[in-house]
Amino acid sequence: MALSITLKQLSIPENKRLLVASDIHAHPQLLLRLLKKANYSPENDILVITGDFVEKGPDSLGTLRTVMQLCKNGPVYPLIGNVDHWRYCLLMSDEIDTQKTFVANAISYREWWPSTWLHEMCREAGYEVTLDMDTPSVFPILRKLFAPEIEFLESLPTLIETDEIIFAHSGLPHERLHELVGTPRKQYIKWDHFMEDGLSFQKYVVVGHWPTALYSTETAWYNPVIDHKSHIISIDGGCGVKNDGQLNLLILPGGHVDQLSYISCHDLPFATAMDAQEGSDQGRFIHWGDHDVEMVEKGEEMSQVLHHGTKVSVPTSYLYESKGQLCCSDVATAILSINPGDELGIITQLSDRCYVKKDGVHGWYFGKFTNKETES
């Protein structure tokens, strides 16, 4: 198993666009929609995907196969992600305890996610995922049946470098890449809150892994976060990890950061705003990792809670208990600025308001809207 850091060098021609996606997490149709929205073509574009293809969505196998086909059709360069790495290691292990851990984790993950990579492989192979399954017999069969997908994961590099950019799944300690090659990759493919660790680089470093929404306590922002001072760009829009997340795509003509733009896609129902609404700059964003609250007054649709001593209103349906602590699912308190005709993603609809996504930002809308089948 190739568990050390590997590096691929890329040259981006001036007449090509460099497209960058990250953290697809078992949503192949969303990736294809995003590429269609970008008018992607193998003749004109070079695509980099910074890892995490499997888990936390409906179709891990389909995602692997979609990306494998994209690689066959044109210049597409994926990286290994921490979830891809760990699932690969679990599947390839001959230790029974490790195999049992894979099974137990897959079963527990079904409480939160619609499918798992192991469930999908076993379903195609005619096996049922149970705690007492005969893993020493089943796993070798899975490795044989799904050899193309396994070999694809084995082939993925840890880092990609161009003239202006270094791509990593989650982070890297410095840009002396020759010193990193050959060292264990595990320590650098799961670097949580990378942008908060005070690092800076000469080249731009583009990462995924950590949803960009988790970098804010005030605004529910799921678009890429671009720090031109430290030369770090984080692009994970929370696809699969967040119920209201999105898949982001950087677009860099000629691979140049100074010409960067981005687009996104999500799976939320689409709507068109009918009424104008003035926004509020004041807001609080309660999210995973900082979601403990205290009940003040419970209501049928909206409740008053304390979050770090500040009273805020949140949907009652977003409240739940975890280990005896009242918690709140990801929600922002901001009121969005909205004009008639604006395209919205409907997250939660209540009797007098909707929690919506507009241009990658989440907040509340009190106006009327008309439903749409697809995005513009």
Side-chain angles (χ1 to χ4, degrees):
M1 293 185 285
L3 301 181
S4 61
I5 290 178
T6 55
L7 169 66
K8 182 173 185 60
Q9 302 280 352
L10 275 185
S11 177
I12 311 299
E14 287 293 330
N15 64 342
K16 301 278 188 180
R17 292 190 308 174
L18 176 59
L19 309 182
V20 191
S22 176
D23 296 84
I24 302 165
H25 281 305
H27 287 75
Q29 295 307 312
L30 200 57
L31 172 64
L32 294 176
R33 271 181 48 206
L34 187 63
L35 293 178
K36 182 178 180 180
K37 186 175 180 179
N39 296 314
Y40 166 75
S41 75
E43 294 77 21
N44 300 321
D45 300 318
I46 296 171
L47 175 62
V48 170
I49 308 175
T50 67
D52 271 6
F53 303 99
V54 301
E55 309 292 38
K56 305 178 183 180
D59 194 358
S60 293
L61 274 175
T63 300
L64 289 175
R65 291 164 177 169
T66 297
V67 176
M68 291 164 65
Q69 188 60 51
L70 287 170
C71 291
K72 292 179 181 178
N73 293 344
V76 178
Y77 302 98
L79 292 177
I80 192 79
N82 65 297
V83 177
D84 311 318
H85 165 89
W86 186 235
R87 295 304 182 274
Y88 166 81
C89 291
L90 291 172
L91 180 61
M92 300 305 291
S93 176
D94 290 322
E95 297 181 0
I96 295 179
D97 287 346
T98 301
Q99 295 174 353
K100 293 297 185 182
T101 296
F102 194 8
V103 172
N105 287 348
I107 292 173
S108 67
Y109 291 155
R110 290 296 297 275
E111 297 180 25
W112 300 284
W113 317 119
S115 184
T116 76
W117 188 35
L118 182 60
H119 279 89
E120 293 167 23
M121 288 189 292
C122 286
R123 190 181 307 122
E124 286 197 15
Y127 296 104
E128 184 179 359
V129 179
T130 62
L131 290 174
D132 60 352
M133 71 185 298
D134 183 9
T135 56
S137 297
V138 173
F139 275 37
I141 295 173
L142 296 180
R143 294 171 198 157
K144 182 177 181 179
L145 289 175
F146 299 98
E149 290 82 5
I150 293 169
E151 291 169 2
F152 169 72
L153 291 177
E154 286 177 341
S155 72
L156 299 183
T158 324
L159 302 170
I160 291 175
E161 183 181 29
T162 73
D163 288 341
E164 296 187 21
I165 305 171
I166 301 169
F167 298 98
H169 175 64
S170 63
L172 71 164
H174 52 73
E175 52 196 306
R176 300 185 303 277
L177 303 186
H178 64 282
E179 296 179 11
L180 300 176
V181 172
T183 63
R185 71 186 183 196
K186 183 178 179 181
Q187 59 185 326
Y188 299 129
I189 58 173
K190 189 181 186 304
W191 193 321
D192 298 348
H193 49 76
F194 174 63
M195 293 190 77
E196 296 176 342
D197 282 353
L199 297 171
S200 62
F201 302 89
Q202 294 297 314
K203 289 189 174 184
Y204 276 82
V205 175
V206 175
V207 298
H209 175 66
W210 196 244
T212 58
L214 298 182
Y215 284 118
S216 175
T217 59
E218 298 177 354
T219 303
W221 169 280
Y222 288 74
N223 294 325
V225 175
I226 304 170
D227 186 337
H228 289 294
K229 183 177 180 181
S230 64
H231 285 189
I232 300 175
I233 303 173
S234 184
I235 67 171
D236 179 5
C239 177
V241 179
K242 305 292 185 182
N243 293 331
D244 46 13
Q246 63 192 42
L247 193 59
N248 294 320
L249 186 76
L250 297 184
I251 302 174
L252 303 100
H256 300 308
V257 176
D258 61 358
Q259 300 179 40
L260 179 152
S261 62
Y262 60 83
I263 59 174
S264 65
C265 279
H266 58 75
D267 276 334
L268 299 170
F270 291 97
T272 301
M274 299 174 63
D275 302 321
Q277 172 178 284
E278 185 175 346
S280 169
D281 292 334
Q282 301 299 317
R284 180 177 290 267
F285 180 33
I286 302 173
H287 58 66
W288 176 86
D290 186 27
H291 54 189
D292 293 356
V293 296
E294 298 176 35
M295 181 64 75
V296 175
E297 182 178 352
K298 186 175 182 179
E300 183 176 348
E301 288 192 324
M302 297 290 291
S303 293
Q304 296 285 320
V305 300
L306 287 179
H307 183 247
H308 294 303
T310 299
K311 185 185 295 186
V312 294
S313 297
V314 300
T316 304
S317 62
Y318 279 38
L319 298 173
Y320 65 96
E321 281 199 11
S322 176
K323 299 179 180 179
Q325 171 65 51
L326 184 64
C327 303
C328 183
S329 298
D330 291 20
V331 65
T333 62
I335 298 172
L336 296 183
S337 176
I338 292 176
N339 295 311
D342 283 349
E343 186 175 88
L344 308 174
I346 305 299
I347 301 170
T348 298
Q349 186 172 358
L350 303 179
S351 59
D352 66 339
R353 71 194 77 183
C354 285
Y355 189 52
V356 302
K357 179 194 291 284
K358 177 193 170 186
D359 298 330
V361 180
H362 296 183
W364 291 96
Y365 175 55
F366 291 84
K368 297 182 178 62
F369 61 86
T370 57
N371 294 318
K372 294 176 59 180
E373 291 187 2
T374 60
E375 63 184 323
S376 300

